[in-house]
Amino acid sequence: MTKPRILSGVQPTGNLHLGNYLGAIRNWVGLQDSHECLFMLADLHAITVPQNPADLTRNTRETAAAYIACGIDPKKSAIFPQSAVTMHSELAWILNCHTPLGWLNRMTQFKEKASILEAPEAHKMLEDKSNSTLDALTETGRQLNEFCALTPDLKGSAAGTEMLAKLSKVVGLLQKEFLLDQTNKKNLSKEISKRTDAAQLGLYAYPVLMAADILGYHATHVPVGEDQKQHLELARDIAGAFNRAYGTEFFPLPEPLIIGAATRVMSLKDGTKKMSKSDPSDLSRITLTDDADAIAKKIRKAQADSIEGITYDEKNRPAVANLLTIFAALSDSTPEAIASEYASAQNSTFKNALADLAVEKLSPITTRMRDLMDDHSTLDKLLKDGANRAREIATPIFEETQKMVGFLKV
Ligand code: TYM
């Protein structure tokens, strides 16, 4: 019986971190015997934001070294740079032609990377502010009219004149405030369209390329961290759109595999933000190239809170919950079980235990990665073999796709 096929990948953009390890790479290891596995180095995706070419080459090898050091066996799984298999870009073009812009406009990652994620919230805040200014203006205007109508005797008096002046002043101030609100709204809209205009087409089309990665191998399962769920749903929609267009079931609808205790590892500096390669603070993440001292230091300095004892409460204690999740994932346990083990421990005791565990689990990976990085030619040969295996699978599928679309084969 043929095994179900898996495809996944990591962008070789450096700073490979604990989130990439626990949310993705580590989970791939156990799937290698039960599935036919393709693990690519997503270099085409990496260039959707500016990259230094020498760093991209280096990071591609380093990410491959990380896959192998984490337990991906190149004999069982195809490991290859995405750009080495031209199908990815070619199929992406065909799929671009079956993807409505409206679907891409919903993608959160594009909005995050183009720095427009907070735009709707900022718009709403300004709208609310301007509405309440308008309400205040209407109410003061009403009071002013009422005052004039109800107290004709007072109008000529000194007290009446003073009152009238006061109310008129408030109306004037509110009118100014209202005009300022309108200017702020206009400026915000301008800033958003400036940022949207500056974002690259590649960044916008990123999820379509991702769909091509998966569909081009007829992969049925995609092991990823939680942040990729929306992209996976889009890949299913694109597969459906293509199938409908050609009256076929050619592309299987891929299923996300979101596995393990740590599907969304958070920043060590802010328990409400995802751990990411691009966070300006190095202390926000543990990377797979950190040595034991760096790991221990980052965990010791990690955000916690002043509540006594250790409890797992994602909503009210996000930073501690994140450390518990990491602990649980590294020890194949659950955050609740770790919390009850350390219930009466001080933060420092708990953090020291976590630091020891992280060093124990990550140090062998770091050492192995360094050894692999010392031998470029062996690593490059493995990637070349991986690319050949990937091409063997991709070529017939892509040829069939071209035929369905109606491209003349010459
Ligand atoms: P990338 O490079 O951002 O992340 C690689 C993998 O790591 C997971 N991940 C996390 N998991 C838990 N906690 C975190 N803080 C965290 N940060 C990242 C991601 O979910 C991902 O699984 N678009 C993909 C690469 C890609 C891909 C594909 C994946 C390109 N084509 C096709 C699957 C199938 C990405 O940006 O990964």
Side-chain angles (χ1 to χ4, degrees):
M1 210 180 85
T2 55
K3 295 176 182 174
R5 190 172 294 147
I6 271 184
L7 176 126
S8 198
V10 174
Q11 294 184 68
T13 42
N15 287 341
L16 212 61
H17 54 69
L18 196 59
N20 301 128
Y21 174 61
L22 295 176
I25 310 173
R26 192 182 74 147
N27 303 323
W28 304 347
V29 178
L31 298 165
Q32 293 181 101
D33 291 322
S34 48
H35 294 74
E36 182 181 16
C37 294
L38 296 136
F39 297 121
M40 46 163 223
L41 308 149
D43 51 2
L44 296 175
H45 279 102
I47 63 163
T48 54
V49 294
Q51 297 295 327
N52 170 306
D55 288 348
L56 181 62
T57 310
R58 187 185 183 285
N59 289 331
T60 303
R61 288 199 182 100
E62 188 177 273
T63 309
Y67 287 6
I68 298 167
C70 291
I72 303 300
D73 179 353
K75 288 198 201 81
K76 294 182 186 164
S77 304
I79 305 175
F80 60 101
Q82 183 188 25
S83 61
V85 183
T86 54
M87 172 282 289
H88 295 259
S89 317
E90 293 173 309
L91 179 60
W93 179 255
I94 296 177
L95 298 181
N96 277 333
C97 299
H98 293 84
T99 307
L101 290 187
W103 292 1
L104 295 178
N105 287 339
R106 287 202 290 271
M107 296 295 113
T108 321
Q109 188 176 292
F110 170 75
K111 290 182 197 159
E112 249 168 36
K113 291 196 175 174
S115 307
I116 55 168
L117 184 63
E118 278 84 27
E121 240 172 72
H123 252 306
K124 181 160 185 322
M125 261 171 62
L126 281 179
E127 195 63 40
D128 289 351
K129 161 92 178 36
S130 121
N131 284 342
S132 62
T133 312
L134 196 60
D135 286 349
L137 191 58
T138 316
E139 174 58 18
T140 319
R142 195 191 58 75
Q143 282 177 14
L144 194 59
N145 285 337
E146 205 174 68
F147 178 77
C148 292
L150 288 180
T151 54
D153 308 343
L154 253 181
K155 245 164 88 188
S157 71
T161 313
E162 196 186 329
M163 189 61 154
L164 259 181
K166 265 190 194 157
L167 281 173
S168 311
K169 197 170 162 199
V170 175
V171 170
L173 286 174
L174 285 170
Q175 275 170 337
K176 258 197 206 150
E177 182 84 9
F178 184 70
L179 287 178
L180 187 68
D181 291 343
Q182 303 314 305
T183 313
N184 285 342
K185 275 205 287 187
K186 251 191 233 149
N187 287 346
L188 178 70
S189 298
K190 262 196 224 154
E191 179 61 25
I192 293 164
S193 47
K194 202 168 103 193
R195 291 187 193 183
T196 311
D197 285 354
Q200 310 284 345
L201 175 60
L203 190 60
Y204 193 58
Y206 180 116
V208 186
L209 175 61
M210 200 165 145
D213 299 335
I214 302 163
L215 305 182
Y217 295 98
H218 279 184
T220 52
H221 296 83
V222 186
V224 281
E226 197 161 303
D227 59 338
Q228 296 300 315
K229 212 169 151 189
Q230 194 184 35
H231 288 160
L232 259 284
E233 278 159 15
L234 183 76
R236 291 168 64 88
D237 288 343
I238 295 176
F242 183 96
N243 289 346
R244 275 193 303 282
Y246 299 96
T248 156
E249 294 295 311
F250 186 62
F251 288 125
L253 307 192
E255 294 283 347
L257 288 179
I258 298 174
I259 320 169
T263 57
R264 187 173 174 84
V265 177
M266 309 308 273
S267 156
L268 296 182
K269 288 275 121 202
D270 179 352
T272 62
K273 248 172 66 185
K274 194 182 73 169
M275 183 178 284
S276 100
K277 298 179 196 139
S278 55
D279 192 312
S281 167
D282 196 40
L283 288 176
S284 69
R285 64 187 156 253
I286 290 171
T287 71
L288 296 186
T289 49
D290 280 341
D291 61 20
D293 286 348
I295 296 175
K297 181 177 126 193
K298 288 177 181 182
I299 293 179
R300 254 185 279 115
K301 291 195 162 201
Q303 186 190 34
D305 55 37
S306 51
I307 302 171
E308 229 170 85
I310 304 290
T311 50
Y312 182 64
D313 180 346
E314 257 184 302
K315 191 163 165 274
N316 299 309
R317 306 188 70 185
V320 173
N322 185 38
L323 297 179
L324 283 165
T325 302
I326 295 172
F327 203 131
L330 287 172
S331 56
D332 291 321
S333 179
T334 62
E336 291 83 358
I338 307 294
S340 70
E341 197 179 320
Y342 287 89
S344 51
Q346 300 216 319
N347 273 343
S348 56
T349 314
F350 170 63
K351 282 182 174 177
N352 284 339
L354 176 57
D356 288 346
L357 175 68
V359 168
E360 180 199 320
K361 297 286 175 183
L362 300 178
S363 285
I365 296 176
T366 313
T367 311
R368 177 94 177 99
M369 269 173 77
R370 246 183 250 137
D371 292 346
L372 289 159
M373 284 297 278
D374 282 344
D375 186 358
H376 280 184
S377 62
T378 305
L379 206 50
D380 291 0
K381 169 85 175 57
L382 289 177
L383 296 183
K384 196 174 175 167
D385 291 347
N388 285 336
R389 275 159 66 193
R391 257 181 240 116
E392 266 171 41
I393 302 173
T395 303
I397 298 174
F398 188 58
E399 282 178 357
E400 188 62 26
T401 312
Q402 288 177 304
K403 211 160 100 189
M404 281 185 208
V405 173
F407 291 160
L408 178 68
K409 196 168 161 61
V410 290

